[in-house]
Amino acid sequence: MIDQPIIGFEIYSSESNTWSCSSAYCTDLENPCLVGGGSYMKGVAYYETKSNEVLAFDVRHEIPAIISLPPIQVGRHGSLTQMEGELCYVAANNECGNVFLIDIYQGMEMSLKRSVSINLGLDRSFTQACKVLPCVNSDAVAIQAGRFIYLYHIREQKVESIESPCAMGP
């Protein structure tokens, strides 16, 4: 379609070891550029887009849908992840010094379910950018701040430093 961005879908079958083209397509995204890789949960593939939306694709029924993400302040970065068996969008920012604010939006309506202020224990007096990383543990949020990655365990309300990207190598 001329001047109309379009996204098509290909589906892989592990049973037949083949790919097939779906007849479904999506033309309703403001900006069809995808951010990072997707995630798959309960038969639906999810892809974050640059237009602050999520493209959802029901693989079995071959139905696309669009989920609006919550408006995020400049300087905050979020990530799609799974928590408590539901799709979530987790955003974080460095309020000041050691204090970071984590907002957890959950469900298809992406409503704010939890907001937590945590102290990562860093010894500094300035703010810095942070990034939420996708996490498979439904009870933890992974945050990269500077050279360190931290896990915040929600139920235990405990922060754990897990690794420095510098120590991981390229």
Side-chain angles (χ1 to χ4, degrees), residues 115-126:
S115 189
V116 180
S117 183
I118 63 170
N119 186 327
L120 292 184
L122 307 172
D123 186 22
R124 57 187 171 71
S125 58
F126 59 91

Side-chain angles (χ1 to χ4, degrees), residues 129-168:
C130 64
K131 179 180 178 181
V132 176
L133 305 173
C135 198
V136 294
N137 182 340
S138 65
D139 183 39
V141 174
I143 299 171
Q144 180 180 359
R147 329 180 319 230
F148 298 96
I149 296 175
Y150 301 90
L151 277 181
Y152 174 66
H153 299 274
I154 295 168
R155 286 191 189 108
E156 300 167 10
Q157 299 180 357
K158 179 179 99 175
V159 176
E160 173 186 5
S161 176
I162 58 170
E163 189 65 70
S164 166
C166 297
M168 288 188 235

Side-chain angles (χ1 to χ4, degrees), residues 2-116:
I2 297 174
D3 292 332
Q4 177 72 35
I6 186 168
I7 293 182
F9 304 92
E10 293 183 38
I11 303 169
Y12 177 74
S13 168
S14 57
E15 292 175 359
S16 63
N17 198 27
T18 59
W19 287 90
S20 63
C21 287
S22 171
S23 60
Y25 57 90
C26 179
T27 59
D28 299 329
L29 290 169
E30 288 180 34
N31 183 343
C33 293
L34 305 179
V35 177
S39 58
Y40 182 81
M41 182 177 71
K42 298 181 181 178
V44 179
Y46 298 96
Y47 303 93
E48 187 176 350
T49 70
K50 288 191 175 184
S51 57
N52 206 39
E53 298 171 305
V54 175
L55 172 60
F57 183 67
D58 182 319
V59 175
R60 184 174 190 185
H61 299 104
E62 298 187 24
I63 299 171
I66 297 172
I67 302 168
S68 294
L69 289 174
I72 302 296
Q73 299 171 356
V74 174
R76 298 192 78 187
H77 303 281
S79 179
L80 285 176
T81 191
Q82 179 180 342
M83 297 182 92
E84 300 170 355
E86 280 194 69
L87 178 68
C88 290
Y89 186 75
V90 180
N93 75 310
N94 186 195
E95 292 285 289
C96 67
N98 303 338
V99 180
F100 287 73
L101 180 66
I102 300 172
D103 289 332
I104 301 171
Y105 301 87
Q106 198 168 16
M108 299 307 277
E109 68 286 347
M110 287 294 161
S111 59
L112 182 64
K113 296 293 182 181
R114 183 177 296 161
S115 189
V116 180

